[in-house]
Amino acid sequence: MTEPTVAVRGLAKTFYDEARGEVRAVDGIDFDCRPGEIFGLLGANGAGKTTTLRMLATILRPTAGVARLMGRDVVEEPVAARRTLGFYSATTALYPRLTARETLEFFARVNLYPEEKVDARVDYLVGRFGIAEYVGARVEKLSTGMKQKVSIARTVAHDPPILIFDEPTVGLDVINALEMARVIRELRDEGKTIIFSTHIMSEAEKLCDRIAIIHNGKILASDTLDALRVATGRHYLEDIFVDYVGGVEEMPGFIRESGSAAE
Amino acid sequence: MPLSLINWRQVWVLYRRELRGALRERSIVVNSFLLPVFLYPVLLWLTFSAMVFVEGLSEGRVSRIVLLDLPAEHAELRDSLSAAQSVEVREDTVSVEQGVAWVLDGELDAVAEFLAPGPEAEALPDNFAVRISYDRAEERSRRASDRIESAVTGYRDRWLEREARDLRVSREQLEGFLIYRNNVATERQVGAFLLSLMVPLFVVIMVALGCFVPSIDTTAGERERSTWETLMSVSASRMSVVTSKYLYVATLGLAAGMLNVTAMVISIGAVLRPLAGELAEELQFRIPLLAVPVLLIGALALALFFAAAMMLLASFARKFKDGQAMITPVYWLALIPVFLSGTPELHLTPTLATVPIANVAVMMRDAINGRFDWLLIGESLLVQMVFVVLILWLARAVLRFEDYLLGSFDGSFWRFARQRLLARRSSDALPVE
Ligand SMILES: Nc1ncnc2c1ncn2[C@@H]1O[C@H](COP(=O)(O)OP(=O)(O)O)[C@@H](O)[C@H]1O
Ligand SMILES: [Mg+2]
């Protein structure tokens, strides 16, 4: 087996909230990810997915534990760790006043992609993600679908080995959500390490090579879908999930259906 | 060392991104570029209209004058001046020096002093010259001088006619009857005085205004548009990101200040001269060459100050509007010392040089008036920079807090300072990256 590109051990994050007191958003989790695989974090709202991924992106500092990206410790070498990473989420918007091309140039350069190769890289991305038609238009003028393509392109602008997608299909219509899944699969096939979070069962089922079920900041199970089936004796991921988590009623934020866009 | 965390190549990339976005943002272009450029032409036009208006008013005012050493043969001149409703001839017998002092104090509008004629007019007995002392900076005084001059000229014509007839000589031979005008304020002083009142005030306001929208846009605006987290996930250190933003805001502040000064110099020539006509000759709007670098450095010091202060405050807002509300009171507070230091008699002193912003304003005013005390200029700039460093140090302390960086802290800078910086819960703080 290949070496893990992402290694997480005992990672934890406690927030201090004025209203709720101490919140253990992530409570000591371990996992590894490898090139050419999609690792899924499946959990209801508030399970701790975003907090985990933000710690990997060095946006949050772990309360305990370690995480390494390509061997770079996220606490010791945050800048170097971020360089190995493309981070995509519903809260990572694009600069509205830049054109699509300027956006890609900016993200390639600021992530220290070799200057002499920036033009060629941007040309490649424009072709690959089908942005050519509106590459000179300001991002603010683009449709949701167009923005999504530019957003994915900017995430991979510096050709990082690790890609994090935090609930990337939230707010997308069915067509755009399917397109997103197709691109993520493609990137996996090119050998990227992909961490993908979702609260939608069918999405995880179709897309992920391995699934970690996260609940209340803890990873309850982490394996391939087949192995999870064997372990629980159930076929559908939904049932497997319920088996581990112990009843849908306990999870107010939980949404079962895919596609019918949550918001 | 924080400086070693800065990658200047990334700072340059980030800085260009900021500027490019700003130049496409209407509110920034208006505040940082258009307003500073067009303020002076509009303002000068208004000032000029006001001057013409005031001039109209002073026409109705009685001119207070004294006549010194009027020869008895010409007593008729006194009678004709006294008869005029617009002139009050004071009977005081004073020295010329005393009269001039009164003119400068505003006690008196002009002094007319009768002198022996020059050698070219000696042929005519009883000939005389008049020297009028007045203050060209004062409209009342200019008007008094004009009134004396026209009264004397009228009297001279009548008197010369008479004398020529009596002596049977041509009038030309009798010319040489002289009037000397003696403006007690120098011309440059008058123009520079007006400039020195206007320029520092507007440079401060413009630099602050130039920093205003960019400082909010690059902090709270970035949060509001959800680009903040995108930026936090790029592989530039936090110090590189903050440095690029700071330089960007300071650049726009400096640009606003410099455009403002340039616009002033150009618009005075282009707008005021043709409008002012005869007045323009009297008012020479020129600043000493040496004042140019002082103005430049002053604007730079102001830009570094306002950029740091405004960014620190606005970065606690999650929405542009909140950012605006957080900065505005401080903006006005910062302008108070500038308004207070607008008193013309105030010059740079070692004490005044310790008051930030006001010290730079007075420093610029003194420079325009041709006063250069390099020691005090140095002190002012040093004090200003100490305040800049102080704010940057605060910013660095604040940057170590995760909830501040993430935007989950709910409150202003002041609340943060109370709850975190002063409370010294050091476990909350991150190492600087
Ligand atoms: N900045 C924060 N301050 C306090 N609590 C937070 C913060 N961010 C997240 N939390 C809490 O941590 C828990 C996990 O949140 P999150 O990681 O966003 O879950 P998910 O992404 O799986 O929906 C939730 O209870 C949430 O309310
Ligand atoms: Mg989330």
Side-chain angles (χ1 to χ4, degrees), chain A residues 49-50 166-167:
Chain A
K49 304 182 292 293
T50 298
D166 186 15
E167 304 213 41

Side-chain angles (χ1 to χ4, degrees), chain B residues 25 46 48 70 111 162 167 180 198 221 273 275-276 286 333 397 411 427:
Chain B
E25 185 74 44
L46 284 175
F48 178 73
L70 178 67
V111 176
R162 236 166 32 222
L167 292 171
Y180 305 113
M198 263 166 37
R273 285 258 161 67
L275 274 177
R286 219 179 288 136
L333 213 67
S427 59

Side-chain angles (χ1 to χ4, degrees), chain B residues 46 130 187 263 282 411 432:
Chain B
L46 284 175
V130 182
E187 291 164 355
E282 293 181 26
V432 179

